[in-house]
Amino acid sequence: MKTLYLECNMGAAGDMLMAALFEICPNKQAFLQQINHLGLPEITVEAIPAQKCGINGTQMRILVRGQEEPSSNHLHDHIHPHDHDHPHDHDHSHDHHDHSHPHDHSHPHDHSHPHDHDHPHNYSHLHDHNHSHHHYSYADICERIEQLDLPQTVKKDAAAVYRLIGDAESHAHGAPIDQIHFHEVGSLDAVADVVGCCLLFHLIGADEVVVSPIHVGCGTVRCAHGILPVPAPATAHILQGAPIYGGRIPGELCTPTGAALLRHFASRFGEMPQMSVSGTGYGMGHKTFEAANCLRAFLGETSHAQEEIVELCCNLDDITSEALGFAADLLLENGALDVFTTPIYMKKNRPAYLLTCLCTPQEQEKFTRLMLLHTTTLGVRSRLCKRETLEYQISTVETAFGPVRVKTASGYGVRRTKPEFEDLKKIAAEQGLTMAEVCRLVESALHHEI
C-alpha cells in the first residue's frame, strides 16, 4: 500500500505542508508549471532551498506581482461575521511558519490601521505599501476555485478545506457560514497555497495518509479581540478528535489552514507505520527555534495495515433475541467493521448477552447512538484498540460453474486464499451439489489459476 506519513512535531502550516509534499512530488517541475498556470492572475509560486538546524529542505514562496505579500496566508486574520461595527487597530506580523498567523498581528514594519466595516461585502483596506485586501464569502471562494484549471477532485478537496475553516469560524463567532467573510484566506496568494497542497496530494496519489500527533504550541496569542489561548479557537475546533499536544515552544505552531488540510486528507492519526520509505520531504518554516522548524513527509510502501479501531460494548439481560438480532444486523448495515454477541452471566446469575461493535474512531458517536437507540442498555463502554491486518484483494477465478470471487490475503510472511462463501453457496444450490464438492472443484480451479 502506498502510504504517506506526515510528521508534525513542529505543527503545520499551509506552506510547510506544500514544501514537504513538493520534495517528494514525482515531477516537481510539472507541479510548478501547473500551479503557475491555473488562472490566478499575477501569482507566482516558487520553491526555495532552506536550512534549519543543519538540515536541508524547501520553503514555498508565493509572490503577488513579483513581491511576497507580508500578510500572505493569514488564513485566520480578519475573518469576521457579516455584522461587525467595531473598528480594530491591527498590528500585523509574520506567522510562525509562512505568514499565515491567525492571530498574532505585529509586522516588523508598522502599518497598523483602523478598519472601516461599513460595507457589507467586498469592502477592502488599502495599506501603506499599496496593496488592497478584499473580504470574500465561502461561496465567493468556491466560485473562484471552480474557475481554476484543475482536476475536479482537486477543486473539491480545496473547497472542502475552506469549508472546514469556515465551519470553525462560524462556530467561534456564533454566526452561519454564509455570514462569515474571509479576508486574507480569500486572497489569491492564499488560494494558491491551499490549492497547491491539494494538487500535490493528488499528484502523489497515496492510498492512505497517516498523520502524527500534532504539536500546536503553547501560551497565548494576541489578536484584535484580545488575548487568546493556543491553540486558537478555530484550530482547536478543526482538530477535535485528532491527537494534539502542547509542549514548551511558545506560540501558535499549527495554523487553521494547516489544521484543515491535515484533517481533510488524513486517513488516520497515529504513530509512523512500518513502511519501506522511498522518499522524504522537509517543509521548512520561516522562524528559527532550537528544534528544527520543519514538517516532514515520508512516502513509502506498507506491507500491512495498522490502524486504530474502537470497541463498543454493552451488557444486555432484558432484550429479546429478535431485538438483539435486529440491532446486530442494523449495526453491520450501517458500516460497522464487525458485530458479535457473547453469552455472559450478570449479577444474580442472570443469563445475558455482551453485544460488541467494532468501528473506526470517526464513527464512534454514530454507533454509540445506534446501540443506545436499538437496544435496552443504559450505557455503552468504549475502548480504543490497535489492530494489525493482512493486506487483501479480491479477484475472480473461472470455474466450470462460472466465475467465483476469491479473497487473497498476505503480510507478515503469510499468504492465504479463500473463495467467497456466497458464490459457493449459489453454485451448490443451482447444481445440486454439496458444499464440500463445490469447494473441491473451486480449489482445483484456483490451483491451476495460480
PDB file of all heavy atoms in Angstrom, residues 103-131:
ATOM      1  N   HIS A 103      -3.634  34.886  14.465  1.00  0.00           N
ATOM      2  CA  HIS A 103      -3.989  35.872  15.471  1.00  0.00           C
ATOM      3  C   HIS A 103      -2.905  36.908  15.745  1.00  0.00           C
ATOM      4  O   HIS A 103      -3.204  38.009  16.120  1.00  0.00           O
ATOM      5  CB  HIS A 103      -4.322  35.174  16.790  1.00  0.00           C
ATOM      6  CG  HIS A 103      -5.573  34.381  16.696  1.00  0.00           C
ATOM      7  ND1 HIS A 103      -6.809  34.953  16.613  1.00  0.00           N
ATOM      8  CD2 HIS A 103      -5.770  33.052  16.652  1.00  0.00           C
ATOM      9  CE1 HIS A 103      -7.725  34.012  16.548  1.00  0.00           C
ATOM     10  NE2 HIS A 103      -7.110  32.862  16.564  1.00  0.00           N
ATOM     11  N   ASP A 104      -1.663  36.521  15.649  1.00  0.00           N
ATOM     12  CA  ASP A 104      -0.610  37.428  16.071  1.00  0.00           C
ATOM     13  C   ASP A 104      -0.320  38.419  14.964  1.00  0.00           C
ATOM     14  O   ASP A 104       0.157  38.034  13.913  1.00  0.00           O
ATOM     15  CB  ASP A 104       0.650  36.635  16.408  1.00  0.00           C
ATOM     16  CG  ASP A 104       1.711  37.531  16.999  1.00  0.00           C
ATOM     17  OD1 ASP A 104       1.378  38.385  17.802  1.00  0.00           O
ATOM     18  OD2 ASP A 104       2.851  37.365  16.658  1.00  0.00           O
ATOM     19  N   HIS A 105      -0.628  39.677  15.136  1.00  0.00           N
ATOM     20  CA  HIS A 105      -0.639  40.625  14.036  1.00  0.00           C
ATOM     21  C   HIS A 105       0.360  41.749  14.259  1.00  0.00           C
ATOM     22  O   HIS A 105      -0.011  42.913  14.341  1.00  0.00           O
ATOM     23  CB  HIS A 105      -2.027  41.266  13.874  1.00  0.00           C
ATOM     24  CG  HIS A 105      -3.107  40.267  13.708  1.00  0.00           C
ATOM     25  ND1 HIS A 105      -4.428  40.568  13.852  1.00  0.00           N
ATOM     26  CD2 HIS A 105      -3.071  38.954  13.404  1.00  0.00           C
ATOM     27  CE1 HIS A 105      -5.162  39.518  13.649  1.00  0.00           C
ATOM     28  NE2 HIS A 105      -4.345  38.519  13.384  1.00  0.00           N
ATOM     29  N   SER A 106       1.622  41.479  14.338  1.00  0.00           N
ATOM     30  CA  SER A 106       2.555  42.574  14.544  1.00  0.00           C
ATOM     31  C   SER A 106       3.692  42.496  13.555  1.00  0.00           C
ATOM     32  O   SER A 106       4.607  41.716  13.719  1.00  0.00           O
ATOM     33  CB  SER A 106       3.108  42.556  15.965  1.00  0.00           C
ATOM     34  OG  SER A 106       3.647  41.307  16.237  1.00  0.00           O
ATOM     35  N   HIS A 107       3.570  43.251  12.443  1.00  0.00           N
ATOM     36  CA  HIS A 107       4.627  43.245  11.444  1.00  0.00           C
ATOM     37  C   HIS A 107       5.859  43.943  11.976  1.00  0.00           C
ATOM     38  O   HIS A 107       5.757  44.925  12.706  1.00  0.00           O
ATOM     39  CB  HIS A 107       4.190  44.028  10.190  1.00  0.00           C
ATOM     40  CG  HIS A 107       3.623  43.133   9.153  1.00  0.00           C
ATOM     41  ND1 HIS A 107       4.241  41.971   8.755  1.00  0.00           N
ATOM     42  CD2 HIS A 107       2.489  43.222   8.435  1.00  0.00           C
ATOM     43  CE1 HIS A 107       3.518  41.391   7.826  1.00  0.00           C
ATOM     44  NE2 HIS A 107       2.446  42.132   7.620  1.00  0.00           N
ATOM     45  N   PRO A 108       7.053  43.480  11.545  1.00  0.00           N
ATOM     46  CA  PRO A 108       8.241  44.241  11.861  1.00  0.00           C
ATOM     47  C   PRO A 108       8.158  45.649  11.281  1.00  0.00           C
ATOM     48  O   PRO A 108       8.656  46.602  11.836  1.00  0.00           O
ATOM     49  CB  PRO A 108       9.359  43.431  11.196  1.00  0.00           C
ATOM     50  CG  PRO A 108       8.805  42.043  11.089  1.00  0.00           C
ATOM     51  CD  PRO A 108       7.337  42.218  10.907  1.00  0.00           C
ATOM     52  N   HIS A 109       7.530  45.779  10.111  1.00  0.00           N
ATOM     53  CA  HIS A 109       7.280  47.122   9.581  1.00  0.00           C
ATOM     54  C   HIS A 109       5.854  47.501   9.969  1.00  0.00           C
ATOM     55  O   HIS A 109       4.922  46.780   9.733  1.00  0.00           O
ATOM     56  CB  HIS A 109       7.487  47.158   8.061  1.00  0.00           C
ATOM     57  CG  HIS A 109       6.708  46.136   7.327  1.00  0.00           C
ATOM     58  ND1 HIS A 109       7.083  44.802   7.277  1.00  0.00           N
ATOM     59  CD2 HIS A 109       5.545  46.226   6.632  1.00  0.00           C
ATOM     60  CE1 HIS A 109       6.217  44.127   6.550  1.00  0.00           C
ATOM     61  NE2 HIS A 109       5.273  44.957   6.159  1.00  0.00           N
ATOM     62  N   ASP A 110       5.719  48.631  10.562  1.00  0.00           N
ATOM     63  CA  ASP A 110       4.438  49.004  11.158  1.00  0.00           C
ATOM     64  C   ASP A 110       3.517  49.584  10.104  1.00  0.00           C
ATOM     65  O   ASP A 110       3.839  50.559   9.455  1.00  0.00           O
ATOM     66  CB  ASP A 110       4.687  50.029  12.279  1.00  0.00           C
ATOM     67  CG  ASP A 110       3.379  50.440  12.934  1.00  0.00           C
ATOM     68  OD1 ASP A 110       2.412  49.680  12.778  1.00  0.00           O
ATOM     69  OD2 ASP A 110       3.365  51.489  13.586  1.00  0.00           O
ATOM     70  N   HIS A 111       2.390  48.943   9.918  1.00  0.00           N
ATOM     71  CA  HIS A 111       1.347  49.573   9.117  1.00  0.00           C
ATOM     72  C   HIS A 111      -0.001  49.302   9.772  1.00  0.00           C
ATOM     73  O   HIS A 111      -0.961  48.906   9.151  1.00  0.00           O
ATOM     74  CB  HIS A 111       1.383  49.107   7.652  1.00  0.00           C
ATOM     75  CG  HIS A 111       1.237  47.649   7.472  1.00  0.00           C
ATOM     76  ND1 HIS A 111       2.262  46.769   7.703  1.00  0.00           N
ATOM     77  CD2 HIS A 111       0.195  46.903   7.049  1.00  0.00           C
ATOM     78  CE1 HIS A 111       1.868  45.540   7.431  1.00  0.00           C
ATOM     79  NE2 HIS A 111       0.603  45.600   7.038  1.00  0.00           N
ATOM     80  N   SER A 112      -0.052  49.527  11.072  1.00  0.00           N
ATOM     81  CA  SER A 112      -1.307  49.323  11.786  1.00  0.00           C
ATOM     82  C   SER A 112      -2.314  50.357  11.305  1.00  0.00           C
ATOM     83  O   SER A 112      -1.961  51.475  10.937  1.00  0.00           O
ATOM     84  CB  SER A 112      -1.083  49.456  13.291  1.00  0.00           C
ATOM     85  OG  SER A 112      -0.634  50.736  13.607  1.00  0.00           O
ATOM     86  N   HIS A 113      -3.582  49.981  11.315  1.00  0.00           N
ATOM     87  CA  HIS A 113      -4.603  50.833  10.725  1.00  0.00           C
ATOM     88  C   HIS A 113      -5.957  50.476  11.300  1.00  0.00           C
ATOM     89  O   HIS A 113      -6.241  49.325  11.578  1.00  0.00           O
ATOM     90  CB  HIS A 113      -4.644  50.633   9.207  1.00  0.00           C
ATOM     91  CG  HIS A 113      -4.796  49.206   8.823  1.00  0.00           C
ATOM     92  ND1 HIS A 113      -3.732  48.332   8.803  1.00  0.00           N
ATOM     93  CD2 HIS A 113      -5.896  48.486   8.501  1.00  0.00           C
ATOM     94  CE1 HIS A 113      -4.156  47.138   8.457  1.00  0.00           C
ATOM     95  NE2 HIS A 113      -5.471  47.200   8.273  1.00  0.00           N
ATOM     96  N   PRO A 114      -6.834  51.453  11.427  1.00  0.00           N
ATOM     97  CA  PRO A 114      -8.215  51.138  11.804  1.00  0.00           C
ATOM     98  C   PRO A 114      -8.963  50.576  10.612  1.00  0.00           C
ATOM     99  O   PRO A 114      -8.666  50.912   9.479  1.00  0.00           O
ATOM    100  CB  PRO A 114      -8.770  52.497  12.243  1.00  0.00           C
ATOM    101  CG  PRO A 114      -7.963  53.490  11.499  1.00  0.00           C
ATOM    102  CD  PRO A 114      -6.593  52.904  11.351  1.00  0.00           C
ATOM    103  N   HIS A 115      -9.917  49.735  10.866  1.00  0.00           N
ATOM    104  CA  HIS A 115     -10.724  49.148   9.800  1.00  0.00           C
ATOM    105  C   HIS A 115     -12.077  49.828   9.748  1.00  0.00           C
ATOM    106  O   HIS A 115     -12.704  50.069  10.757  1.00  0.00           O
ATOM    107  CB  HIS A 115     -10.939  47.643  10.062  1.00  0.00           C
ATOM    108  CG  HIS A 115      -9.713  46.842   9.792  1.00  0.00           C
ATOM    109  ND1 HIS A 115      -9.749  45.532   9.427  1.00  0.00           N
ATOM    110  CD2 HIS A 115      -8.397  47.179   9.842  1.00  0.00           C
ATOM    111  CE1 HIS A 115      -8.529  45.072   9.276  1.00  0.00           C
ATOM    112  NE2 HIS A 115      -7.708  46.065   9.521  1.00  0.00           N
ATOM    113  N   ASP A 116     -12.536  50.053   8.563  1.00  0.00           N
ATOM    114  CA  ASP A 116     -13.867  50.609   8.366  1.00  0.00           C
ATOM    115  C   ASP A 116     -14.764  49.489   7.881  1.00  0.00           C
ATOM    116  O   ASP A 116     -14.597  48.990   6.782  1.00  0.00           O
ATOM    117  CB  ASP A 116     -13.798  51.732   7.317  1.00  0.00           C
ATOM    118  CG  ASP A 116     -15.143  52.398   7.103  1.00  0.00           C
ATOM    119  OD1 ASP A 116     -16.097  51.970   7.778  1.00  0.00           O
ATOM    120  OD2 ASP A 116     -15.226  53.316   6.288  1.00  0.00           O
ATOM    121  N   HIS A 117     -15.720  49.073   8.714  1.00  0.00           N
ATOM    122  CA  HIS A 117     -16.559  47.925   8.391  1.00  0.00           C
ATOM    123  C   HIS A 117     -17.976  48.345   8.011  1.00  0.00           C
ATOM    124  O   HIS A 117     -18.927  47.686   8.339  1.00  0.00           O
ATOM    125  CB  HIS A 117     -16.611  46.947   9.572  1.00  0.00           C
ATOM    126  CG  HIS A 117     -15.304  46.322   9.858  1.00  0.00           C
ATOM    127  ND1 HIS A 117     -14.551  45.718   8.900  1.00  0.00           N
ATOM    128  CD2 HIS A 117     -14.596  46.214  11.022  1.00  0.00           C
ATOM    129  CE1 HIS A 117     -13.443  45.235   9.434  1.00  0.00           C
ATOM    130  NE2 HIS A 117     -13.447  45.530  10.713  1.00  0.00           N
ATOM    131  N   ASP A 118     -18.107  49.469   7.307  1.00  0.00           N
ATOM    132  CA  ASP A 118     -19.446  49.909   6.947  1.00  0.00           C
ATOM    133  C   ASP A 118     -19.973  49.185   5.720  1.00  0.00           C
ATOM    134  O   ASP A 118     -21.162  49.200   5.446  1.00  0.00           O
ATOM    135  CB  ASP A 118     -19.459  51.425   6.672  1.00  0.00           C
ATOM    136  CG  ASP A 118     -19.229  52.213   7.943  1.00  0.00           C
ATOM    137  OD1 ASP A 118     -19.571  51.680   9.021  1.00  0.00           O
ATOM    138  OD2 ASP A 118     -18.707  53.322   7.858  1.00  0.00           O
ATOM    139  N   HIS A 119     -19.065  48.569   4.927  1.00  0.00           N
ATOM    140  CA  HIS A 119     -19.503  47.909   3.705  1.00  0.00           C
ATOM    141  C   HIS A 119     -19.835  46.461   3.990  1.00  0.00           C
ATOM    142  O   HIS A 119     -19.072  45.759   4.621  1.00  0.00           O
ATOM    143  CB  HIS A 119     -18.385  47.983   2.644  1.00  0.00           C
ATOM    144  CG  HIS A 119     -17.919  49.388   2.423  1.00  0.00           C
ATOM    145  ND1 HIS A 119     -18.663  50.322   1.789  1.00  0.00           N
ATOM    146  CD2 HIS A 119     -16.770  50.011   2.800  1.00  0.00           C
ATOM    147  CE1 HIS A 119     -18.004  51.466   1.753  1.00  0.00           C
ATOM    148  NE2 HIS A 119     -16.850  51.302   2.358  1.00  0.00           N
ATOM    149  N   PRO A 120     -20.966  45.963   3.471  1.00  0.00           N
ATOM    150  CA  PRO A 120     -21.403  44.627   3.832  1.00  0.00           C
ATOM    151  C   PRO A 120     -20.613  43.497   3.199  1.00  0.00           C
ATOM    152  O   PRO A 120     -20.516  42.433   3.744  1.00  0.00           O
ATOM    153  CB  PRO A 120     -22.859  44.592   3.353  1.00  0.00           C
ATOM    154  CG  PRO A 120     -22.940  45.616   2.276  1.00  0.00           C
ATOM    155  CD  PRO A 120     -21.955  46.672   2.642  1.00  0.00           C
ATOM    156  N   HIS A 121     -20.043  43.703   2.000  1.00  0.00           N
ATOM    157  CA  HIS A 121     -19.401  42.562   1.351  1.00  0.00           C
ATOM    158  C   HIS A 121     -17.987  42.874   0.903  1.00  0.00           C
ATOM    159  O   HIS A 121     -17.050  42.695   1.647  1.00  0.00           O
ATOM    160  CB  HIS A 121     -20.255  42.072   0.176  1.00  0.00           C
ATOM    161  CG  HIS A 121     -21.448  41.326   0.629  1.00  0.00           C
ATOM    162  ND1 HIS A 121     -21.391  40.030   1.072  1.00  0.00           N
ATOM    163  CD2 HIS A 121     -22.730  41.707   0.758  1.00  0.00           C
ATOM    164  CE1 HIS A 121     -22.584  39.625   1.431  1.00  0.00           C
ATOM    165  NE2 HIS A 121     -23.408  40.617   1.246  1.00  0.00           N
ATOM    166  N   ASN A 122     -17.804  43.322  -0.326  1.00  0.00           N
ATOM    167  CA  ASN A 122     -16.453  43.444  -0.852  1.00  0.00           C
ATOM    168  C   ASN A 122     -15.792  44.745  -0.438  1.00  0.00           C
ATOM    169  O   ASN A 122     -15.304  45.517  -1.260  1.00  0.00           O
ATOM    170  CB  ASN A 122     -16.460  43.331  -2.383  1.00  0.00           C
ATOM    171  CG  ASN A 122     -16.748  41.924  -2.824  1.00  0.00           C
ATOM    172  OD1 ASN A 122     -16.306  40.994  -2.177  1.00  0.00           O
ATOM    173  ND2 ASN A 122     -17.494  41.774  -3.904  1.00  0.00           N
ATOM    174  N   TYR A 123     -15.774  45.002   0.856  1.00  0.00           N
ATOM    175  CA  TYR A 123     -15.056  46.153   1.337  1.00  0.00           C
ATOM    176  C   TYR A 123     -13.594  45.787   1.478  1.00  0.00           C
ATOM    177  O   TYR A 123     -13.224  44.642   1.646  1.00  0.00           O
ATOM    178  CB  TYR A 123     -15.622  46.647   2.659  1.00  0.00           C
ATOM    179  CG  TYR A 123     -15.894  45.604   3.684  1.00  0.00           C
ATOM    180  CD1 TYR A 123     -15.055  45.445   4.766  1.00  0.00           C
ATOM    181  CD2 TYR A 123     -17.017  44.782   3.575  1.00  0.00           C
ATOM    182  CE1 TYR A 123     -15.316  44.480   5.716  1.00  0.00           C
ATOM    183  CE2 TYR A 123     -17.281  43.830   4.529  1.00  0.00           C
ATOM    184  CZ  TYR A 123     -16.437  43.679   5.588  1.00  0.00           C
ATOM    185  OH  TYR A 123     -16.689  42.735   6.541  1.00  0.00           O
ATOM    186  N   SER A 124     -12.709  46.761   1.377  1.00  0.00           N
ATOM    187  CA  SER A 124     -11.273  46.470   1.383  1.00  0.00           C
ATOM    188  C   SER A 124     -10.533  47.529   2.161  1.00  0.00           C
ATOM    189  O   SER A 124     -11.046  48.595   2.460  1.00  0.00           O
ATOM    190  CB  SER A 124     -10.744  46.414  -0.057  1.00  0.00           C
ATOM    191  OG  SER A 124     -10.872  47.677  -0.672  1.00  0.00           O
ATOM    192  N   HIS A 125      -9.268  47.225   2.485  1.00  0.00           N
ATOM    193  CA  HIS A 125      -8.395  48.151   3.183  1.00  0.00           C
ATOM    194  C   HIS A 125      -7.189  48.399   2.300  1.00  0.00           C
ATOM    195  O   HIS A 125      -6.643  47.466   1.717  1.00  0.00           O
ATOM    196  CB  HIS A 125      -7.904  47.552   4.512  1.00  0.00           C
ATOM    197  CG  HIS A 125      -8.983  46.815   5.235  1.00  0.00           C
ATOM    198  ND1 HIS A 125     -10.055  47.431   5.798  1.00  0.00           N
ATOM    199  CD2 HIS A 125      -9.145  45.491   5.464  1.00  0.00           C
ATOM    200  CE1 HIS A 125     -10.828  46.536   6.368  1.00  0.00           C
ATOM    201  NE2 HIS A 125     -10.304  45.343   6.162  1.00  0.00           N
ATOM    202  N   LEU A 126      -6.747  49.630   2.225  1.00  0.00           N
ATOM    203  CA  LEU A 126      -5.566  49.947   1.458  1.00  0.00           C
ATOM    204  C   LEU A 126      -4.429  50.199   2.420  1.00  0.00           C
ATOM    205  O   LEU A 126      -4.474  51.121   3.228  1.00  0.00           O
ATOM    206  CB  LEU A 126      -5.806  51.196   0.582  1.00  0.00           C
ATOM    207  CG  LEU A 126      -4.671  51.536  -0.387  1.00  0.00           C
ATOM    208  CD1 LEU A 126      -4.480  50.406  -1.381  1.00  0.00           C
ATOM    209  CD2 LEU A 126      -4.978  52.840  -1.104  1.00  0.00           C
ATOM    210  N   HIS A 127      -3.382  49.392   2.352  1.00  0.00           N
ATOM    211  CA  HIS A 127      -2.260  49.511   3.259  1.00  0.00           C
ATOM    212  C   HIS A 127      -1.264  50.519   2.716  1.00  0.00           C
ATOM    213  O   HIS A 127      -1.263  50.870   1.538  1.00  0.00           O
ATOM    214  CB  HIS A 127      -1.580  48.142   3.428  1.00  0.00           C
ATOM    215  CG  HIS A 127      -2.448  47.159   4.141  1.00  0.00           C
ATOM    216  ND1 HIS A 127      -2.268  46.838   5.448  1.00  0.00           N
ATOM    217  CD2 HIS A 127      -3.523  46.446   3.716  1.00  0.00           C
ATOM    218  CE1 HIS A 127      -3.162  45.951   5.815  1.00  0.00           C
ATOM    219  NE2 HIS A 127      -3.926  45.700   4.778  1.00  0.00           N
ATOM    220  N   ASP A 128      -0.341  50.930   3.606  1.00  0.00           N
ATOM    221  CA  ASP A 128       0.583  51.959   3.206  1.00  0.00           C
ATOM    222  C   ASP A 128       1.619  51.456   2.212  1.00  0.00           C
ATOM    223  O   ASP A 128       2.387  52.234   1.681  1.00  0.00           O
ATOM    224  CB  ASP A 128       1.296  52.549   4.440  1.00  0.00           C
ATOM    225  CG  ASP A 128       2.055  51.492   5.212  1.00  0.00           C
ATOM    226  OD1 ASP A 128       2.115  50.338   4.750  1.00  0.00           O
ATOM    227  OD2 ASP A 128       2.581  51.832   6.275  1.00  0.00           O
ATOM    228  N   HIS A 129       1.620  50.133   1.916  1.00  0.00           N
ATOM    229  CA  HIS A 129       2.531  49.659   0.891  1.00  0.00           C
ATOM    230  C   HIS A 129       1.749  49.303  -0.370  1.00  0.00           C
ATOM    231  O   HIS A 129       2.153  48.502  -1.181  1.00  0.00           O
ATOM    232  CB  HIS A 129       3.365  48.471   1.388  1.00  0.00           C
ATOM    233  CG  HIS A 129       2.567  47.371   1.986  1.00  0.00           C
ATOM    234  ND1 HIS A 129       1.951  47.474   3.199  1.00  0.00           N
ATOM    235  CD2 HIS A 129       2.289  46.110   1.540  1.00  0.00           C
ATOM    236  CE1 HIS A 129       1.336  46.337   3.496  1.00  0.00           C
ATOM    237  NE2 HIS A 129       1.527  45.516   2.491  1.00  0.00           N
ATOM    238  N   ASN A 130       0.575  49.936  -0.520  1.00  0.00           N
ATOM    239  CA  ASN A 130      -0.177  49.953  -1.762  1.00  0.00           C
ATOM    240  C   ASN A 130      -0.613  48.576  -2.255  1.00  0.00           C
ATOM    241  O   ASN A 130      -0.410  48.201  -3.391  1.00  0.00           O
ATOM    242  CB  ASN A 130       0.642  50.640  -2.865  1.00  0.00           C
ATOM    243  CG  ASN A 130       0.864  52.097  -2.573  1.00  0.00           C
ATOM    244  OD1 ASN A 130      -0.024  52.764  -2.048  1.00  0.00           O
ATOM    245  ND2 ASN A 130       2.057  52.591  -2.892  1.00  0.00           N
ATOM    246  N   HIS A 131      -1.174  47.792  -1.394  1.00  0.00           N
ATOM    247  CA  HIS A 131      -1.895  46.616  -1.858  1.00  0.00           C
ATOM    248  C   HIS A 131      -3.192  46.530  -1.070  1.00  0.00           C
ATOM    249  O   HIS A 131      -3.276  46.881   0.077  1.00  0.00           O
ATOM    250  CB  HIS A 131      -1.058  45.330  -1.726  1.00  0.00           C
ATOM    251  CG  HIS A 131      -0.804  44.937  -0.325  1.00  0.00           C
ATOM    252  ND1 HIS A 131       0.240  45.433   0.404  1.00  0.00           N
ATOM    253  CD2 HIS A 131      -1.470  44.087   0.511  1.00  0.00           C
ATOM    254  CE1 HIS A 131       0.244  44.909   1.610  1.00  0.00           C
ATOM    255  NE2 HIS A 131      -0.799  44.091   1.702  1.00  0.00           N
TER     256      HIS A 131
END
